[in-house]
Amino acid sequence: MTVISQDSESRADVTAPVRIPLRYDNRITLQKLEVFCSVVELGGVSRAAEHLWVAQSVVSGHLRSLQERLGVQMLYRDGQKMKLTEAGEQVYQWASETLAETRELMRHLDDLHTISSGRLSLATSLTVGSYLMPPILAEFGRDRPGAVITMSVSDPETAFAAVASSDCDMGIVIAGAGYEHPNVQSEEIGREQIALVAATETLLEFETISLADLSEIPVVAPPAGNRARDAIDRLLAELGAGPQNVTMELGHPEAMKRVIRSGATACLLFRTCVEDELAAGSLREIPIEDGDLTVPVLSIMRADRRLSSLPAQLIERTRAYLAAR
């Protein structure tokens, strides 16, 4: 049986009633499932081979073997794209769940062989991982000295995907509307405020500012398409304010703060990014008098998992920290 049908093969040919094996074939390995999922998720044999650091012939061999053991055709080619047959969709769902459960099992077994009192892998968005979580983790680590916590910092989509695949046990992200994943459930555990900040000698004519005037002052902002920029722009639109008057775009909060401290107008930033500078007096806040600029902080976990003790405690610690600010 070939792994992929020829271009001329019709959709009807590959979705016809499939032959089900008379008995389970115990030669189906986790490696074959991983190869199959990689082909589906990355969109082809060549990309999967590159991702897995093997030859394309190895990937094709595993796919051919898996199809023979299951007795069904899982993939067909539609032009330049590979698509799942009806049977392939069922196999992919089963393979994904099997691999996710296996990763979770291995982490739990690894915990049993350590002297630590717990192990936790945490996925976060940029602001959460860089600014919000460090003081929380420092205090949490003092209370749980045996715990081993690994934190990754990326963007909300990557955090959701890491939790969905069980590469991470849980996640905490700052995210506006539109973030969801079929295998992940989220819960709002607090709000993060957006603050307008400037250098101590800049925009002194403003002790406070209205939403109407906000769009009149030049600001530094993340590039268009950046998730933090999108969240702020969406919130301003919901409040009826005009768009930001962006005169400079920088990709990281640290770069934005350095420019602001040098006197380059002002910036809207998540408060947790600028708390140290506000406390030290190197930046000043210009309060927005007629708008509550906040976005949700979400905890995320797989929808089919029950939250264990260590992540539940970290979530509650984070919730209390946000409520006290």
Side-chain angles (χ1 to χ4, degrees), residues 135-156:
I136 297 173
L137 291 177
E139 180 181 312
F140 193 72
R142 288 192 293 268
D143 295 339
R144 296 290 299 267
V148 178
I149 298 177
T150 303
M151 182 175 70
S152 62
V153 181
S154 53
D155 54 69

Side-chain angles (χ1 to χ4, degrees), residues 146-174:
V148 178
I149 298 177
T150 303
M151 182 175 70
S152 62
V153 181
S154 53
D155 54 69
E157 292 99 330
T158 302
F160 269 80
V163 173
S165 66
S166 292
D167 288 337
C168 289
D169 300 306
M170 59 166 290
I172 298 177
V173 299
I174 294 176

Side-chain angles (χ1 to χ4, degrees), residues 28-315:
I28 297 174
T29 64
L30 293 175
Q31 184 182 19
K32 296 185 190 305
L33 301 186
E34 182 181 13
V35 169
F36 172 56
C37 288
S38 294
V39 170
V40 174
E41 292 162 3
L42 296 175
V45 170
S46 60
R47 290 182 178 179
E50 182 179 354
H51 173 71
L52 297 170
W53 293 85
V54 297
Q56 292 187 34
S57 59
V58 173
V59 173
S60 297
H62 279 296
L63 290 178
R64 185 180 303 110
S65 175
L66 181 59
Q67 290 189 146
E68 291 173 350
R69 279 146 179 54
L70 291 173
V72 298
Q73 184 165 332
M74 303 178 301
L75 296 162
Y76 73 101
R77 187 177 294 282
D78 183 8
Q80 297 298 315
K81 295 182 179 181
M82 294 176 60
K83 295 186 177 181
L84 288 168
T85 65
E86 183 178 355
E89 291 172 354
Q90 296 180 31
V91 174
Y92 174 65
Q93 181 179 354
W94 165 70
S96 299
E97 293 173 353
T98 299
L99 291 173
E101 291 172 357
T102 300
R103 294 188 192 103
E104 184 179 25
L105 171 64
M106 297 310 297
R107 282 199 301 273
H108 288 321
L109 292 179
D110 183 59
D111 288 346
L112 293 177
H113 288 83
T114 66
I115 60 173
S116 67
S117 62
R119 186 181 297 272
L120 174 65
S121 57
L122 172 66
T124 66
S125 54
L126 175 62
T127 297
V128 171
S130 300
Y131 301 99
L132 177 62
M133 293 309 299
I136 297 173
L137 291 177
E139 180 181 312
F140 193 72
R142 288 192 293 268
D143 295 339
R144 296 290 299 267
V148 178
I149 298 177
T150 303
M151 182 175 70
S152 62
V153 181
S154 53
D155 54 69
E157 292 99 330
T158 302
F160 269 80
V163 173
S165 66
S166 292
D167 288 337
C168 289
D169 300 306
M170 59 166 290
I172 298 177
V173 299
I174 294 176
Y179 290 98
E180 58 182 25
H181 191 287
N183 297 328
V184 174
Q185 63 182 8
S186 62
E187 177 189 6
E188 182 175 320
I189 59 174
R191 307 284 298 185
E192 174 63 24
Q193 187 176 35
I194 298 165
L196 177 66
V197 296
T200 55
E201 301 301 323
T202 302
L203 297 174
L204 295 179
E205 65 271 27
F206 292 102
E207 293 186 2
T208 63
I209 194 169
S210 67
L211 283 172
D213 291 335
L214 185 60
S215 61
E216 300 301 321
I217 65 171
V219 297
V220 179
N226 176 280
R227 293 304 182 183
R229 168 81 173 269
D230 289 347
I232 293 173
D233 287 346
R234 186 183 303 112
L235 182 57
L236 290 173
E238 290 173 355
L239 293 172
Q244 298 185 73
N245 178 17
V246 178
T247 59
M248 187 181 301
E249 295 182 331
L250 299 173
H252 196 282
E254 289 302 314
M256 296 164 69
K257 289 189 293 185
R258 285 177 178 268
V259 168
I260 293 301
R261 285 198 299 268
S262 299
T265 66
C267 182
L268 287 166
L269 280 170
F270 295 129
R271 178 173 294 279
T272 191
C273 298
V274 293
E275 283 181 328
D276 290 346
E277 288 80 6
L278 293 176
S282 59
L283 291 176
R284 72 183 186 95
E285 180 178 3
I286 305 174
I288 299 172
E289 58 196 32
D290 56 349
D292 181 23
L293 271 63
T294 65
V295 292
V297 179
L298 306 177
S299 66
I300 55 177
M301 61 174 292
R302 275 188 63 96
D304 58 354
R305 304 277 159 74
R306 185 174 61 184
L307 205 60
S308 59
S309 174
L310 190 62
Q313 291 176 23
L314 182 58
I315 287 174

